[in-house]
Amino acid sequence: MSEPTIEDYYVEDRTFPPSAEFTAAALLGDRSHHEEAAADYEAFWARQARELLTWDHDFHTTLEWDLPFAKWFEGGTLNLTQQFGLRSNNAATGVMTWSGATIRNQAAAGTSIQVDAPLTVTGTGAILDTQDAGRGFTFRQNVLGGGTITKNGAGTLTLGTAQDTFDNDSVAVVVNAGRVVLAKPSTTTIHALGGTSTVNAGILQLAGTGPDQLFYGMQLKLNGGLLDLNGRNGVVSTLISDTPTVAGTVANDGAGVATFTVGG
């Protein structure tokens, strides 16, 4: 009877290549990145950082390594909200997905961040904080997914531009502060807002062109604040307040005549 033995793997020389199916589905299907990094890893990571991120101030030193301490990208400054606004997380489709958490505009005062890609919003955890009246966001394409964006902060969120022909008929907003501007060239098939939306404080303002910034089948809860028709027409299926003793105001602060229809 032989004695049991213990295999010694102190010196490991085995390899475990991936399957062909795994390689075919991988984001990187060859060894080019590995070989580039092995040849000069500082240059590799410097290129990755500059190509994949937008820097407010470029870094002057890629890596300072004083064992056991390492400092990467010294001298560089990033604004994370700018990365969100100007970069897509899906290079194939250009669609960004936002399923929760808070996005704040902490760029320089007076800066409005332009989001130039379609945005999919899911659930009710997406919070947009414009911080103060001098900062804002503009979503220049369609907002999909049927989720809700909660708007905090004194600045402005603008949904749409004069050139934006994308429909937002499933997105909803909750306005807690500041202003949400609906600014699409609206038609019966192009709307800036379509999901059940709520104004608790601040202003929901019609802008852009056409009478269909609000999807005619949507419900609007006016718990406080103001719906400003701004010289435009609007239609909703239902206008209510969650607290009947306290409600917001429908007004027309624009120069033209405005008509607001409920249940039309």
Side-chain angles (χ1 to χ4, degrees):
M1 181 175 177
S2 61
E3 293 294 325
T5 60
I6 298 176
E7 293 186 73
D8 181 5
Y9 291 113
Y10 180 74
V11 178
E12 180 60 83
D13 56 5
R14 295 173 299 167
T15 61
F16 302 90
S19 66
E21 294 79 11
F22 183 91
T23 300
L27 181 62
L28 299 175
D30 58 44
R31 292 177 56 83
S32 59
H33 277 64
H34 172 82
E35 292 168 356
E36 181 186 353
D40 187 341
Y41 66 89
E42 286 193 33
F44 171 79
W45 285 114
R47 182 178 69 81
Q48 293 289 316
R50 291 189 172 107
E51 288 184 0
L52 298 178
L53 297 172
T54 300
W55 294 83
D56 282 356
H57 300 287
D58 194 17
F59 52 89
H60 54 69
T61 303
T62 303
L63 172 63
E64 180 182 301
W65 200 343
D66 183 12
L67 291 174
F69 304 105
K71 296 180 181 180
W72 285 92
F73 311 123
E74 279 201 275
T77 302
L78 288 173
N79 185 311
L80 292 184
T81 57
Q82 187 179 31
Q83 311 314 313
F84 166 82
L86 299 179
R87 299 282 179 175
S88 167
N89 65 0
N90 186 326
T93 65
V95 176
M96 295 183 290
T97 300
W98 185 12
S99 58
T102 299
I103 296 175
R104 293 185 175 89
N105 183 346
Q106 294 182 317
T111 299
S112 181
I113 293 175
Q114 311 294 309
V115 181
D116 288 320
L119 178 66
T120 297
V121 178
T122 60
T124 59
I127 300 174
L128 192 72
D129 188 353
T130 51
Q131 296 282 87
D132 57 43
R135 294 178 172 90
F137 288 87
T138 298
F139 293 161
R140 299 170 61 90
Q141 293 196 34
N142 51 333
V143 184
L144 312 167
T148 299
I149 300 172
T150 297
K151 164 66 174 65
N152 295 336
T156 299
L157 165 63
T158 301
L159 296 176
T161 67
Q163 292 76 41
D164 177 3
T165 57
F166 301 96
D167 189 21
N168 289 356
D169 68 351
S170 65
V171 70
V173 297
V174 175
V175 186
N176 289 330
R179 186 183 303 263
V180 174
V181 177
L182 310 181
K184 288 180 179 283
S186 69
T187 68
T188 55
T189 58
I190 300 174
H191 311 87
L193 198 61
T196 296
S197 296
T198 304
V199 181
N200 293 319
I203 300 171
L204 178 64
Q205 183 182 65
L206 305 188
T209 59
D212 296 285
Q213 300 295 335
L214 302 169
F215 175 57
Y216 66 88
M218 69 176 283
Q219 180 183 87
L220 180 62
K221 297 181 180 182
L222 202 57
N223 296 332
L226 174 70
L227 170 62
D228 178 12
L229 300 177
N230 191 31
R232 276 82 170 172
N233 298 336
V235 180
V236 296
S237 66
T238 310
L239 180 67
I240 64 173
S241 172
D242 288 330
T243 54
T245 58
V246 179
T249 302
V250 178
N252 178 25
D253 289 343
V257 176
T259 301
F260 185 59
T261 304
V262 178

